[in-house]
Amino acid sequence: MNADTDRPTLLLVHGAWHGAWCWEPVSTELDANGWRSHVVDLPSVAHPLAGRHDPARPVGMLDDADAIRDSLRRIDGPVVVIAHSYGGVPTTEAIADAASVVGAVYLAAFQLDAGESMFTFLGAPVPDDGTGHAPPYEDARRVLFDDVPDADADRAVARLRPQSVRSFTERVTTAGWRTVPSSYIVCDRDQALEPSRQRELATRAGSVHRLPSSHSPFLSMPRQLATLLGRIATPTLPTQR
């Protein structure tokens, strides 16, 4: 289906350990619904090919924010940014000074305020050495993809990559959601970010929505997620709490 050029473009931002690949099913559904979408690969996820970044300077959240800004500059017209999980942190940083962004959607994501990092929000101890990478969950199949069909979940687990520790410890300097309209999608069966913590974060958003999914609805229910994203991103349709 041809994209409706009167609609904003959707920029899809993945979370920790993932890559742009995780949005493929949702991108397909969005295209079928007439939405233009772009994806971004965050540099804090270790690339399978060595040497992409200087090992003496660990990549962190601020580098991810720069990657999002670069993607925004490449898109003509208004943009709604969709951020999943950790991806909410650099998104919050990046959209603060992006004139083209007309909305942000936090999907089971960390909608942090200035001065917070993912570790400080979770109450996790900040390591003395912020270098290196954190491996994915040992039980990623259950924690991240509990309601994803087996074959799809197995492929997703195989594609996970280590995540820069620095991305978890760098603090937000500017909370873009304070000036950009935002929505939050709570995943009710999430085992990675507890729904109660999501509801706490969602108090910062302008509208709140829910999906009966675990942490990865982009793989378990891409059609329902794409439909919901389209409804949120359409200014003429009322949002629902």
Side-chain angles (χ1 to χ4, degrees):
M1 177 183 293
N2 292 329
D4 185 342
T5 56
D6 291 332
R7 296 174 172 179
T9 299
L10 306 185
L11 178 63
L12 308 173
V13 182
H14 65 79
W17 304 295
H18 291 66
W21 55 265
C22 72
W23 290 110
E24 290 170 4
V26 172
S27 294
T28 298
E29 294 293 341
L30 289 171
D31 181 68
N33 292 338
W35 289 93
R36 293 167 296 162
S37 64
H38 293 259
V39 294
V40 56
D41 267 312
L42 300 180
S44 61
V45 181
H47 196 270
L49 299 177
R52 190 168 69 152
H53 298 287
D54 181 0
R57 184 187 178 281
V59 175
M61 183 275 292
L62 296 176
D63 298 285
D64 288 340
D66 284 341
I68 295 169
R69 291 188 187 100
D70 184 61
S71 292
L72 289 170
R73 285 191 289 267
R74 297 169 186 269
I75 300 172
D76 293 328
V79 183
V80 174
V81 184
I82 319 297
H84 176 245
S85 197
Y86 158 76
V89 187
T91 292
T92 290
E93 184 77 24
I95 64 176
D97 56 2
S100 63
V101 177
V102 297
V105 181
Y106 291 84
L107 174 63
F110 290 88
Q111 187 169 352
L112 301 185
D113 208 346
E116 294 179 329
S117 71
M118 205 178 89
F119 270 22
T120 62
F121 176 79
L122 293 173
V126 177
D128 293 332
D129 181 7
T131 64
H133 287 79
Y137 293 100
E138 283 190 19
D139 193 8
R141 171 69 181 87
R142 178 187 62 82
V143 176
L144 299 176
F145 310 118
D146 184 56
D147 58 348
V148 177
D150 287 340
D152 295 335
D154 290 343
R155 283 192 293 269
V157 169
R159 299 184 76 172
L160 297 177
R161 296 288 181 264
Q163 177 77 24
S164 160
V165 172
R166 186 175 180 181
S167 65
F168 295 148
T169 60
E170 279 192 324
R171 296 172 185 256
V172 171
T173 67
T174 308
W177 53 265
R178 289 193 172 276
T179 53
V180 174
S182 66
S183 299
Y184 199 101
I185 301 175
V186 176
C187 294
D188 286 334
R189 295 176 52 194
D190 202 325
Q191 298 184 60
L193 179 57
E194 293 181 1
S196 62
R197 299 310 303 270
Q198 292 182 48
R199 290 191 291 271
E200 178 183 346
L201 289 161
T203 62
R204 299 171 172 179
S207 65
V208 183
H209 310 261
R210 297 170 60 183
L211 282 175
S213 74
S214 66
H215 194 60
S216 305
F218 42 82
L219 296 179
S220 64
M221 50 181 66
R223 180 171 297 177
Q224 295 95 317
L225 176 57
T227 298
L228 177 56
L229 293 177
R231 193 166 80 240
I232 295 171
T234 302
T236 57
L237 294 180
T239 54
Q240 298 178 358
R241 281 189 177 271

